[in-house]
Amino acid sequence: MGSLARKSVLMICGDYMEDYETIVPFQALQAFGIHVDCVSPSKASGDRCFTAVHDYMGHELYTELQGHFFTLNSNFSDVKPESYNALIIPGGRFTELLSIDDKVLRIVTAFAEAGKPIATTCHSQLLLVAAGLMKGMKCTAFPSLKHVVKLAGGIWLDPEPVTSCVLDGNFISAIGWPAHSEYLSLLLRLMGAKVSGFENKAVLFLCGDYVEDYEINVPFQAMGGLGCRVDSASPSKKKGEKCVTAIHDFEGAQVCSEKSGHYFIVTSDWNDINVDDYDCLVIPGGRSPEYLVMDDKVVSMVRQFSEKDKVVSAIGQGKLVLVASGLLEGKRCASGYGMKAIVKVGGGEVVESEESVAHGKLLTATGWTALPSFISRLASLLGISIVF
């Protein structure tokens, strides 16, 4: 992705932090060549945090479901703010606990005094309030914090649309995870990144119900953060309709568990999709590929992407669609245990890799744990570069 100077970001975590607001910056920034240390004041490196899925599911307030587990990779006691270029605080209920933790507030204050970027989402703006940093600051957050922000001397702004952020100096604030594309773009800019090669690039995501939660949203937001036009389509849905997603995680059983995740909003009508309008196709995993391969129009469209020499990529179970489309014959393919037999019968060469594998313009990844490598290689295949 170009010449990368080593940058580093600190993320302050805790139990029931918002799932997307943690994993999207964590994996996307790694894909962009940035190291991310994740710490929590009551936990050590290697410990896991529970995450929470926050989404509106027909009730007056968002529902909270348990998300993926998230493994910390550093110790809170080792944090030296001067060693980092930016601070990220996800949203979620854990921020209420951290807002009365003096050690946490001293870290937040140190970043602010050094003029380093601080990114907050949803409810984590509460830490800026508790640290006494809100006075005179333009800010947005989840609407229930409006009165708190104003009482703390902040200038409240409603995000319009909800996918937008508020930038005031080095402070980025957002209503929540729907704003991740702009959030990532602003954070890269504040950290001195220069992105090139994204102009006029368009990426299509192919999805359906029970698409894997991370595998659809993380690359969708990351590629949008790089400046690409990102669209999604499902053969049975219209623009604005929702796909239910699936959370797949290992919790001690022989195979991964499945839980309901966030909703994912389809951005395009299926009948309006023209292969010539896109440079790349991404097929996330989950169980939605089982539905997609039963639709001959889907299989035909995937073949068209390949025939027109465009980038075609698949994550996890998404490789089932590649097999049905006849695209794996003689190709090297990253595959976990669940897809080995299917990849082999499709004529592919199984590569046991925890990262992604590119074979020409075909890109594959074992699953969501490989997303940093997948996003990085996808950007490279599209000619996108990031330099600091």
Side-chain angles (χ1 to χ4, degrees):
M1 296 183 69
S3 175
L4 292 168
R6 195 61 168 168
K7 299 283 185 176
S8 60
V9 169
L10 178 67
M11 183 184 296
I12 299 180
C13 304
D15 285 331
Y16 296 106
M17 56 191 175
E18 215 292 326
D19 200 6
Y20 271 176
E21 292 170 23
T22 307
I23 200 66
V24 171
F26 177 68
Q27 290 194 315
L29 292 178
Q30 288 181 82
F32 303 156
I34 299 167
H35 180 77
V36 185
D37 277 342
C38 301
V39 302
S40 183
S42 62
K43 297 177 185 285
S45 179
D47 288 347
R48 298 197 301 180
C49 286
F50 293 94
T51 68
V53 170
H54 293 126
D55 209 342
Y56 279 90
M57 299 182 176
H59 307 293
E60 292 175 332
L61 191 62
Y62 57 85
T63 298
E64 179 171 285
L65 304 174
Q66 187 177 321
H68 297 78
F69 286 101
F70 185 84
T71 303
L72 302 171
N73 62 3
S74 195
N75 296 311
F76 183 83
S77 59
D78 295 335
V79 169
K80 297 179 179 178
E82 64 271 19
S83 300
Y84 298 97
N85 301 101
L87 173 66
I88 289 173
I89 313 170
R93 288 186 288 117
F94 82 108
T95 57
E96 297 174 1
L97 181 65
L98 297 193
S99 70
I100 56 171
D101 188 315
D102 290 338
K103 292 180 180 179
V104 171
L105 297 181
R106 281 198 291 270
I107 291 173
V108 175
T109 300
F111 274 87
E113 290 177 345
K116 295 179 179 181
I118 298 178
T120 57
T121 45
C122 203
H123 290 74
S124 61
Q125 291 84 340
L126 182 61
L127 269 69
L128 304 182
V129 170
L133 301 173
M134 189 60 68
K135 189 171 181 61
M137 182 191 301
K138 296 176 182 177
C139 180
T140 194
F142 189 73
S144 63
L145 287 184
K146 179 177 180 178
H147 298 291
V148 175
V149 167
K150 293 174 72 173
L151 286 169
I155 302 169
W156 176 267
L157 296 175
D158 290 315
E160 184 57 46
V162 295
T163 53
S164 64
C165 299
V166 171
L167 177 64
D168 190 338
N170 286 322
F171 292 91
I172 301 169
S173 60
I175 192 173
W177 53 262
H180 269 139
S181 287
E182 184 170 319
Y183 168 108
L184 291 170
S185 179
L186 290 171
L187 188 56
L188 284 173
R189 191 179 83 195
L190 290 177
M191 293 178 68
K194 294 183 179 179
V195 183
S196 60
F198 65 89
E199 298 85 354
N200 301 316
K201 293 294 193 313
V203 182
L204 177 65
F205 287 77
L206 187 57
C207 59
D209 284 330
Y210 296 108
V211 61
E212 214 292 325
D213 199 28
Y214 284 175
E215 293 175 18
I216 182 69
N217 189 69
V218 177
F220 187 88
Q221 298 286 2
M223 298 311 292
L226 290 177
C228 297
R229 176 169 64 87
V230 287
D231 288 329
S232 59
S234 179
S236 64
K237 298 181 186 291
K238 295 180 180 179
K239 179 179 179 179
E241 293 185 342
K242 297 176 180 178
C243 286
V244 62
T245 69
I247 289 174
H248 293 119
D249 209 353
F250 283 95
E251 300 185 41
Q254 291 177 315
V255 296
C256 61
S257 62
E258 178 174 291
K259 296 176 285 192
S260 292
H262 303 78
Y263 285 123
F264 183 83
I265 298 175
V266 174
T267 66
S268 303
D269 290 336
W270 179 258
N271 291 333
D272 292 338
I273 297 298
N274 185 336
V275 173
D276 292 330
D277 293 337
Y278 298 95
D279 302 281
C280 173
L281 176 68
V282 178
I283 310 169
R287 289 193 295 111
S288 69
E290 292 189 57
Y291 162 71
L292 296 174
V293 296
M294 294 188 285
D295 191 314
D296 291 340
K297 292 181 180 179
V298 170
V299 174
S300 175
M301 186 184 73
V302 174
R303 287 199 192 106
Q304 287 182 53
F305 269 88
S306 179
E307 291 166 356
K308 291 177 179 287
D309 198 33
K310 298 175 184 287
V311 176
V312 178
S313 61
I315 311 162
Q317 305 296 107
K319 291 183 285 289
L320 177 60
V321 184
L322 300 184
V323 170
S325 304
L327 301 189
L328 287 190
E329 185 68 41
K331 300 292 180 66
R332 298 174 69 247
C333 180
S335 183
Y337 69 86
M339 290 300 297
K340 284 184 179 179
I342 293 172
V343 168
K344 287 179 179 178
V345 81
E349 176 189 343
V350 171
V351 178
E352 296 185 19
S353 171
E354 294 183 359
E355 296 194 343
S356 60
V357 172
H359 190 132
K361 289 191 175 181
L362 181 75
L363 178 64
T364 54
T366 52
W368 62 261
T369 57
L371 284 173
S373 168
F374 176 84
I375 294 165
S376 178
R377 285 198 168 105
L378 186 63
S380 294
L381 287 171
L382 291 171
I384 300 172
S385 176
I386 304 173
V387 295
F388 290 90

